[in-house]
């Protein structure tokens, strides 16, 4: 298995909802990432987990809450989001040669 | 974070021609650089990487050149094909953790059949 999977592919949520994005990889990679990508912009780093511990938080608002239950799973819990949080959320894992493997992303729309 | 930018936001080339996409970076301490290809509706896909102890690295139809003196990176695609149409990003690993990737602005490549 050489891929990163993300669910759901699309998500529409209201500003008062609570939802979660999920990411999974079975390549034994020990670092996993969340990125946010707006249309026609590069991915922006949000969080990095290394060996299941949060190592980097790029000053992300607390309405985004990451979780790494085990070395293969990465979640992003969403609560009280704003319309400007609508974006493509990408998960990635870090290979042994430092290359990143990206999932297909979750397209999030906040109404 | 570090500043990684691209000189041209769009590039159109004729099928069969060679393409050159450029990238400038600002952190002279960065030691690892990657080029990604992102097609519409998909996540970024690794193309090729280069470490700072190298000036050039070749892959299948792609070559990355690194000029540390002027902090410049380029991606050359030989015999460009319609399937190469995508947005291309350069990224660098930030310091000191070595885990932070910072992406450049991106160049949209369109291949004209």
């Amino acid at each position: 298995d050489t891929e990163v999977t993300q669910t759901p592919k699309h998500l529409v949520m209201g500003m008062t909802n609570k939802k979660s994005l999920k990411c999974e990889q079975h390549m034994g990679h020990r670092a996993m990432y969340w990125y946010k990508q707006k249309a026609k912009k590069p991915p922006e780093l949000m969080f990095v987990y290394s060996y299941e511990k949060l190592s980097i938080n790029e000053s992300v608002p607390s309405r985004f809450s990451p979780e790494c239950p085990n070395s293969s799973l990465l979640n992003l819990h969403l609560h009280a989001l704003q319309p400007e949080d609508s974006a493509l959320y990408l998960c990635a894992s870090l290979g042994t040669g430092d290359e990143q493997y990206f999932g297909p992303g979750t397209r999030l729309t906040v109404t | 974070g570090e500043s990684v930018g691209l000189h041209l936001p769009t590039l159109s080339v004729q099928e069969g021609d060679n393409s050159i996409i450029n990238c400038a970076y600002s952190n002279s301490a960065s030691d690892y650089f990657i080029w990604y290809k992102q097609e519409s509706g998909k996540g970024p896909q690794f193309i090729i990487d280069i470490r700072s102890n190298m000036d050039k690295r070749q892959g299948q139809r792609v070559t990355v050149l690194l000029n540390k003196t002027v902090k410049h990176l380029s991606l050359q695609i030989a015999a460009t094909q319609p399937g190469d149409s995508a947005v291309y990003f350069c990224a660098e690993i930030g310091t000191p953790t070595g885990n932070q990737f910072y992406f450049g602005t991106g160049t949209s490549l369109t291949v004209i059949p």
Side-chain angles (χ1 to χ4, degrees), chain A residues 19-22 63-67 75-79:
Chain A
K19 296 286 184 183
S20 297
L21 310 185
K22 297 185 184 299
R63 58 186 184 267
F64 295 91
S65 175
E67 178 197 19
N75 298 323
L76 185 63
H77 302 298
L78 314 173
H79 175 53

Side-chain angles (χ1 to χ4, degrees), chain A:
Chain A
D1 189 353
T2 58
E3 66 173 350
V4 176
T5 59
Q6 289 187 246
T7 55
K9 291 192 187 306
H10 301 275
L11 178 62
V12 179
M13 61 185 291
M15 290 188 282
T16 59
N17 291 159
K18 285 185 181 181
K19 296 286 184 183
S20 297
L21 310 185
K22 297 185 184 299
C23 173
E24 194 165 356
Q25 58 88 13
H26 296 286
M27 295 178 279
H29 295 167
R30 294 303 178 180
M32 296 183 73
Y33 301 72
W34 280 116
Y35 288 87
K36 173 184 178 180
Q37 187 177 27
K38 302 284 273 186
K40 301 188 187 301
K41 296 291 186 182
E44 296 176 27
L45 183 63
M46 300 175 72
F47 303 104
V48 182
Y49 271 83
S50 181
Y51 292 93
E52 301 170 45
K53 295 193 184 305
L54 183 65
S55 61
I56 296 170
N57 177 341
E58 290 282 322
S59 303
V60 180
S62 60
R63 58 186 184 267
F64 295 91
S65 175
E67 178 197 19
C68 189
N70 60 57
S71 61
S72 298
L73 295 174
L74 187 66
N75 298 323
L76 185 63
H77 302 298
L78 314 173
H79 175 53
L81 295 193
Q82 303 297 311
E84 59 264 30
D85 295 323
S86 298
L88 180 69
Y89 288 84
L90 292 162
C91 173
S93 65
L94 189 66
T96 54
D98 290 336
E99 69 279 15
Q100 278 189 320
Y101 294 84
F102 280 86
T106 293
R107 176 73 60 188
L108 175 67
T109 303
V110 181
T111 61

